[in-house]
């Protein structure tokens, strides 16, 4: 019954024209938007409308979450959904937005100390994002905090969060396991030695962060990722059912 009602509400929502001010926001805030084919753009519009309407938006520290913030965040998130049918990231239930970085206090786990973060994805479907860092996506090449944090939710869909993705083809599954092991080991070595890499060194923290960093690069710098990490690019292309390098053609 809940699914039927939700689908009915979505059909009603998608029947209305996409707001012109929202198009202008996406044009200014999400560089990929300008590169999308008409069919992809229409699909992104649908994803944005559903995410804006259905996510529980909460402002932290007295921060009011307005339509500008919702549409910008939903626009980045929707890029990840373009290759999937009827996937509107329903596992992301709540998005909390703060002005700047926040203190991520995990005192319940003695392994971790309190640290300042720009985003965090929780197992219950809650995502915390710094609005300042959301706006940084168009200015810092491979950095996109929205895509990074929501990649963790994709990673968690199989019940784990260790870059253990599920592929339909057994050969792709074996390739993924091998490539992640090799690429992650190389990134850890680069981070330890200070060697520059296209993938941000933050991905050396653990395999889940490696997947999130690789996903950021896949959507933000697909041409460079394809040139320097061809097999990783190919597997991400198959997982997301999307060839992002075409946006730069």
């Amino acid at each position: 019954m809940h699914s039927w009602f939700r689908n009915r509400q979505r059909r009603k929502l998608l029947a209305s024209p996409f707001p012109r001010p929202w198009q202008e926001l996406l044009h200014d805030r999400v560089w990929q938007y300008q590169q999308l084919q008409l069919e992809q753009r229409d699909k992104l519009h649908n994803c944005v409308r559903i995410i804006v309407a259905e996510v529980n938006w909460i402002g932290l520290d007295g921060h009011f979450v307005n339509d500008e913030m919702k549409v910008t965040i939903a626009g980045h998130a929707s890029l990840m959904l373009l290759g999937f049918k009827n996937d509107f990231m329903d596992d992301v239930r709540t998005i909390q937005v703060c002005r700047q970085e926040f203190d991520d206090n995990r005192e319940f786990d003695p392994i971790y100390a309190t640290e300042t973060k720009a985003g965090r994805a929780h197992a219950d479907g809650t995502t915390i994002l710094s609005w300042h860092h959301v706006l940084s996506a168009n200015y810092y090449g491979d950095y996109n905090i929205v895509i990074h944090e929501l990649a963790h939710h994709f990673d968690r869909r199989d019940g784990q969060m260790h870059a253990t993705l599920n592929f339909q083809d057994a050969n792709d599954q074996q390739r993924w396991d091998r490539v992640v092991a090799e690429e992650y080991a190389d990134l850890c070595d680069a981070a330890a030695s200070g060697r520059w890499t296209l993938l941000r060194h933050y991905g050396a923290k653990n395999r889940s962060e490696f997947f999130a960093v690789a996903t950021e690069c896949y959507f933000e710098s697909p041409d460079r990722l394809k040139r320097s990490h061809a097999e990783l690019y190919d597997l991400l292309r198959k997982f997301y059912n999307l060839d992002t390098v075409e946006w730069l053609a």
Side-chain angles (χ1 to χ4, degrees):
M1 179 63 72
H2 174 71
S3 177
W4 177 87
F5 179 75
R6 183 187 63 187
N7 291 336
R8 180 173 176 270
Q9 289 297 102
R10 286 178 174 178
R11 286 194 296 270
K12 183 178 179 181
L13 177 67
L14 300 182
S16 60
F18 192 76
R20 180 69 181 181
W22 289 18
Q23 293 184 47
E24 295 171 355
L25 266 175
L26 293 172
H27 182 276
D28 293 341
R29 297 283 173 78
V30 183
W31 69 262
Q32 297 93 335
Y33 181 75
Q34 304 173 49
Q35 313 302 321
L36 299 179
Q37 298 175 0
L38 183 59
E39 182 179 350
Q40 289 181 324
R41 190 172 294 192
D42 288 342
K43 185 169 185 179
L44 184 134
H45 287 171
N46 291 342
C47 292
V48 167
R49 281 191 284 194
I50 288 174
I51 292 172
V52 167
E54 296 185 359
V55 162
N56 180 28
W57 299 89
I58 298 175
L60 300 180
D61 300 326
H63 196 38
F64 177 73
V65 183
N66 57 28
D67 279 356
E68 173 194 359
M69 299 172 188
K70 294 177 184 179
V71 172
T72 301
I73 292 170
H76 288 295
S78 296
L79 293 172
M80 308 172 72
L81 303 175
L82 293 178
F84 298 100
K85 184 177 181 180
N86 297 324
D87 190 331
F88 300 102
M89 216 169 279
D90 294 334
D91 41 350
V92 179
R93 301 184 181 93
T94 300
I95 295 180
Q96 300 177 342
V97 185
C98 55
R99 288 186 177 85
Q100 299 286 339
E101 293 181 339
F102 57 92
D103 289 336
D104 185 30
N105 192 338
R106 294 178 286 175
E107 293 179 349
F108 59 86
D109 188 337
I111 295 176
Y112 296 102
T114 299
E115 59 180 323
T116 302
K117 299 196 69 175
R120 181 156 176 77
H122 292 275
D124 66 355
T126 298
T127 302
I128 308 175
L129 298 169
S130 157
W131 177 241
H132 171 76
H133 288 80
V134 170
L135 293 177
S136 297
N138 279 9
Y139 302 99
Y140 294 101
D142 310 318
Y143 182 79
N144 189 311
I145 192 63
V146 178
I147 288 176
H148 181 101
E149 296 304 332
L150 297 187
H152 288 313
H153 291 290
F154 272 103
D155 191 6
R156 190 181 281 117
R157 284 181 173 181
D158 66 349
Q160 304 182 67
M161 200 169 75
H162 304 292
T164 51
L165 307 183
N166 291 323
F167 288 83
Q168 293 183 345
D169 186 278
N171 290 330
D172 289 337
Q173 189 70 59
Q174 291 176 359
R175 286 175 62 212
W176 174 255
D177 295 340
R178 173 182 57 79
V179 168
V180 166
E182 294 173 354
E183 292 275 11
Y184 177 64
D186 181 70
L187 188 59
C188 288
D189 179 70
S193 63
R195 172 168 51 89
W196 181 90
T197 56
L198 175 62
L199 299 177
R200 292 194 293 119
H201 286 177
Y202 187 76
K205 187 173 183 179
N206 55 54
R207 290 195 177 199
S208 177
E209 297 297 352
F210 170 82
F211 170 66
V213 164
T215 292
E216 281 181 273
C217 197
Y218 179 73
F219 283 95
E220 290 292 334
S221 297
D223 53 340
R224 293 198 293 165
L225 185 66
K226 187 174 183 178
R227 284 197 302 268
S228 57
H229 302 270
E231 198 166 11
L232 177 62
Y233 178 91
D234 183 59
L235 287 163
L236 289 172
R237 177 185 62 81
K238 291 188 175 184
F239 176 73
Y240 285 108
N241 302 306
L242 188 68
D243 197 354
T244 54
V245 81
E246 292 181 349
W247 296 339
L248 302 177

